[in-house]
Amino acid sequence: MIVCLCKTGRAVYADAMTSSSLPNLLTRITQTPGQCGGCSCIRDIRIRVTDILEMLAENVSVAEILQDFLDLELADIQACLLFAAKRTDFSRLTA
């Protein structure tokens, strides 16, 4: 995962090796100092990735999330899931 800091201080997460079926999804995830406590958000619209992931974990359907958050798109939810997957995917060294 690559973190690019923009001139505004905003962090944009991008994957160096995106597959063709997931083009640029991680660019939808941003992190701006002073916004939402510095937490990762979706497209700077102050909806935290954590909030979407928690709703999905509580069995809220994607359709219901999209109805409740009119600014969200399906790709935003996919980006949240991909972001979480990338954050938990780390190499383990064994002896």
Side-chain angles (χ1 to χ4, degrees), residues 8-43:
T8 62
R10 182 180 68 129
V12 177
Y13 294 90
D15 192 2
M17 298 178 62
T18 57
S19 69
S20 59
S21 63
L22 304 171
N24 303 317
L25 278 179
L26 291 177
T27 60
R28 291 174 170 268
I29 307 300
T30 59
Q31 191 173 22
T32 304
Q35 178 178 321
C36 293
C39 294
S40 300
C41 292
I42 301 167
R43 295 185 286 122

Side-chain angles (χ1 to χ4, degrees), residues 56-67:
L56 291 170
E58 292 171 1
N59 209 24
V60 178
S61 71
V62 171
E64 189 174 350
I65 293 170
L66 293 174
Q67 279 181 323

Side-chain angles (χ1 to χ4, degrees), residues 10-13 24-32 35-36 38-56 65-66 69-83:
R10 182 180 68 129
V12 177
Y13 294 90
N24 303 317
L25 278 179
L26 291 177
T27 60
R28 291 174 170 268
I29 307 300
T30 59
Q31 191 173 22
T32 304
Q35 178 178 321
C36 293
C39 294
S40 300
C41 292
I42 301 167
R43 295 185 286 122
D44 276 336
I45 56 176
R46 297 181 185 268
I47 298 173
R48 298 182 313 161
V49 170
T50 303
D51 295 332
I52 299 302
L53 294 173
E54 286 177 359
M55 283 187 271
L56 291 170
I65 293 170
L66 293 174
F69 296 91
L70 299 177
D71 291 332
L72 286 185
E73 301 170 0
L74 177 59
D76 295 324
I77 295 174
Q78 292 171 323
C80 289
L81 292 169
L82 182 60
F83 180 77

